[in-house]
Amino acid sequence: ALMLVMLGGKIIELWVGPEVVPSKGLLVGCGLWMMFCTVGSPFAMLLNGLQIIKIQIIAEVITAAVNIVLSIYLISQHGTLGAVYGSIFSWFLCTLIPCSIAVHKILKHS
């Protein structure tokens, strides 16, 4: 993710030209999203393996609703950055935190 943030603009410029180089804020947002997915995937795999699905379904439905509303608002205020940061915020708040709490409770009791 760090390499994406640091070198992504140059790589994209070399690949497709200078007209579509993303802003540093967009690269940072994509890097954060990549890091959160990397952290969240093991939680999801553990919960799936233990057949604890209900919390994930509830969290994802809430995440989707919050993400749609928040991203629409942030896009109107900040453009493309709004979609990335709306997704990051809603997923972190509504999925990562509840699922990590569930995993912590499971590991604490085992």
Side-chain angles (χ1 to χ4, degrees), residues 43-64:
F43 291 142
M45 293 304 108
L46 178 63
L47 293 171
N48 289 341
L50 295 172
Q51 298 179 347
I52 301 171
I53 307 298
K54 185 176 180 179
I55 186 154
Q56 294 180 86
I57 292 171
I58 293 167
E60 291 301 332
V61 169
I62 294 169
T63 298

Side-chain angles (χ1 to χ4, degrees), residues 5-102:
V5 172
M6 291 175 42
L7 301 174
K10 254 318 181 207
I11 292 169
I12 293 170
E13 182 179 353
L14 291 171
W15 182 22
V16 295
E19 297 83 23
V20 291
V21 175
S23 68
K24 195 57 127 179
L26 187 57
L27 289 172
V28 168
C30 289
L32 286 171
W33 179 252
M34 185 183 297
M35 288 174 31
F36 284 155
C37 287
T38 302
V39 169
S41 291
F43 291 142
M45 293 304 108
L46 178 63
L47 293 171
N48 289 341
L50 295 172
Q51 298 179 347
I52 301 171
I53 307 298
K54 185 176 180 179
I55 186 154
Q56 294 180 86
I57 292 171
I58 293 167
E60 291 301 332
V61 169
I62 294 169
T63 298
V66 170
N67 189 11
I68 289 169
V69 172
L70 185 59
S71 290
I72 289 171
Y73 172 75
L74 290 175
I75 287 169
S76 71
Q77 300 298 311
H78 304 285
T80 309
L81 287 174
V84 174
Y85 286 100
S87 297
I88 289 169
F89 181 76
S90 60
W91 189 79
F92 179 79
L93 183 66
C94 301
T95 297
L96 186 60
I97 291 175
C99 288
S100 64
I101 290 169

